[in-house]
Amino acid sequence: MKTYSIALLPGDGIGKPVTEAAWDVLQATAKTSGFSLEGTAFPWSCDFYKQTGAMMPRDGIETLSRFDAILLGAVGWPAEVPDSVSLHGLLLPIRKAFTQYANIRPHRLLPGVSGPLKSGAFNILCIRENTEGEYSGAGGRIHQGTDDEVAVETSIFTRKGVERILRFGFEQARMRRGKLASVTKSNAQRYSMVFWDEITRRLAAEYPDVEVTSYHIDAMAARMVMAPESLDVIVASNLFGDILTDLGAAIQGGLGFAASANINPDRSAPSMFEPVHGSAPDIAHLGIANPIATIWSSAMMLEHLGETAAAARIVSAIEATTKAGIGVIPGKDKTETIARAVLERLL
């Protein structure tokens, strides 16, 4: 029997209960699917930072490298630790160290879920560049606290980085409906975004079977609201992809349904799977966090590991759960109620 080793990083706030719920679903799925999962939990979080001065130990990346995949709940507790510390101390270092350059987020309405748009017939796959661009962390501040203070934030776009994320997008489009939307702001950003557009056009010649359209970020935001059914695969830079995928979560009914995967496509290091919603400190003590996004993320993890049938079983169970009206209204159902409903519907 194949055994997969999974690193569990529940993190902060609602990350803990939703990770527990997803792990229960994963274990139940594995038992009847011919493989097993061995999970090891790590307490790396803002509480860990307050105790040790670091979001994870110095050998944290080395420790995680031994696992087949990583399941993360949520990171952040801004009242206690600045987001700039928690993000750059755990999540971003993992993404960069393991070359998880493809952040994948599916956006579609689950059965029984009502979105804010007139149209519910959309199925969008957003692919966000995950390791460079606007979140490269290059820059600095001088003369801090004075009237002459200056802050510089430099975006880094490499040919290798841009080409590999675009090529990943083309390949995904080939497996779906054959449509790729490349998103930039090249009318205003004359260097990095023009560079991105040029590489898009060059690669398009290698994929004549894929219909390619370039959009500016503002036009894409409008299209996701006005005509989401016209979109298939969207590829964008780190910042633009981050913004568009939060919009995608909104049109699919909310962050409780927004799953994501941080993929290392060549599998030279573990990939990481997480919900988009964050730690939600305001509801962390109420037991009403929706675990569907994390459970969906765990299905993406199984698919990445090659257990496609098991992944499909989880997605089907999620769809049957929401179709029954469970977990579709924020705050109405308890976390454990939603998780139990998914477990009961596993085929």
Side-chain angles (χ1 to χ4, degrees):
M1 180 182 293
K2 177 73 173 178
T3 299
Y4 301 99
S5 59
I6 310 299
L8 303 173
L9 302 180
D12 300 294
I14 65 171
K16 298 174 183 178
V18 298
T19 301
E20 181 179 350
W23 186 246
D24 288 344
V25 172
L26 282 168
Q27 289 284 44
T29 304
K31 285 181 181 178
T32 54
S33 298
F35 62 90
S36 65
L37 299 169
E38 291 183 354
T40 303
F42 297 93
W44 306 341
S45 61
C46 288
D47 279 341
F48 187 85
Y49 177 86
K50 289 163 61 180
Q51 296 169 16
T52 67
M55 289 296 295
M56 63 177 167
R58 190 170 297 179
D59 64 349
I61 295 298
E62 180 184 353
T63 298
L64 293 176
S65 69
R66 306 185 188 108
F67 290 85
D68 294 311
I70 304 162
L71 182 63
L72 183 143
V75 176
W77 200 270
E80 303 286 341
V81 178
D83 283 340
S84 58
V85 172
S86 58
L87 183 66
H88 287 272
L90 186 64
L91 191 59
L92 293 185
I94 293 172
R95 289 175 175 174
K96 293 176 181 179
F98 295 142
T99 322
Q100 297 169 351
Y101 66 80
N103 182 268
I104 305 172
R105 300 186 182 183
H107 301 298
R108 62 181 177 88
L109 278 177
L110 293 168
V113 177
S114 297
L117 303 183
K118 293 180 181 178
S119 173
F122 60 86
N123 186 343
I124 302 170
L125 187 69
C126 276
I127 299 172
R128 163 190 170 191
E129 201 291 315
N130 214 27
T131 58
E132 55 177 48
E134 303 89 348
Y135 293 177
S136 298
R141 294 168 63 182
I142 60 171
H143 310 307
Q144 287 182 247
T146 74
D147 292 342
D148 297 317
E149 185 168 0
V150 176
V152 176
E153 191 89 27
T154 302
S155 299
I156 305 295
F157 288 86
T158 66
R159 180 171 294 276
K160 178 181 179 180
V162 174
E163 180 171 325
R164 69 187 180 185
I165 194 63
L166 283 167
R167 193 176 293 280
F168 185 86
F170 275 106
E171 295 293 340
Q172 293 298 309
R174 269 186 169 171
M175 293 186 287
R176 287 169 54 93
R177 301 194 305 276
K179 296 174 63 177
L180 180 75
S182 175
V183 180
T184 65
K185 188 60 177 172
S186 52
N187 58 340
Q189 294 175 282
R190 299 168 54 192
Y191 305 110
S192 60
M193 297 287 95
V194 170
F195 176 58
W196 182 293
D197 283 347
E198 289 173 356
I199 296 177
T200 301
R201 288 193 293 270
R202 181 171 61 80
L203 288 180
E206 300 181 28
Y207 296 88
D209 52 325
V210 176
E211 178 187 338
V212 185
T213 307
S214 291
Y215 294 92
H216 291 149
I217 177 65
D218 41 0
M220 175 53 71
R223 178 166 287 272
M224 286 183 70
V225 172
M226 300 301 293
E229 70 282 351
S230 69
L231 299 167
D232 182 18
V233 175
I234 298 173
V235 182
S237 67
N238 215 329
L239 173 62
F240 291 167
D242 194 3
I243 294 168
L244 289 176
T245 51
D246 272 10
L247 176 56
I251 67 173
Q252 74 181 114
L255 288 169
F257 307 108
S260 78
N262 303 279
I263 299 294
N264 174 306
D266 68 10
R267 303 172 186 270
S268 59
S271 294
M272 179 167 61
F273 303 82
E274 58 173 320
V276 174
H277 53 55
S279 62
D282 56 326
I283 65 167
H285 62 294
L286 300 178
I288 57 172
N290 192 337
I292 286 177
T294 314
I295 296 170
W296 194 348
S297 299
S298 71
M300 296 175 73
M301 181 180 75
L302 291 187
E303 184 174 14
H304 179 72
L305 292 173
E307 301 294 345
T308 54
R313 287 179 59 208
I314 292 177
V315 173
S316 294
I318 292 172
E319 292 174 336
T321 297
T322 57
K323 187 175 182 179
I326 302 170
V328 300
I329 299 174
K332 177 178 178 292
D333 298 309
K334 293 287 188 178
T335 305
E336 60 185 25
T337 301
I338 302 170
R340 184 169 60 251
V342 175
L343 282 167
E344 291 171 351
R345 288 163 174 80
L346 280 172
L347 299 177

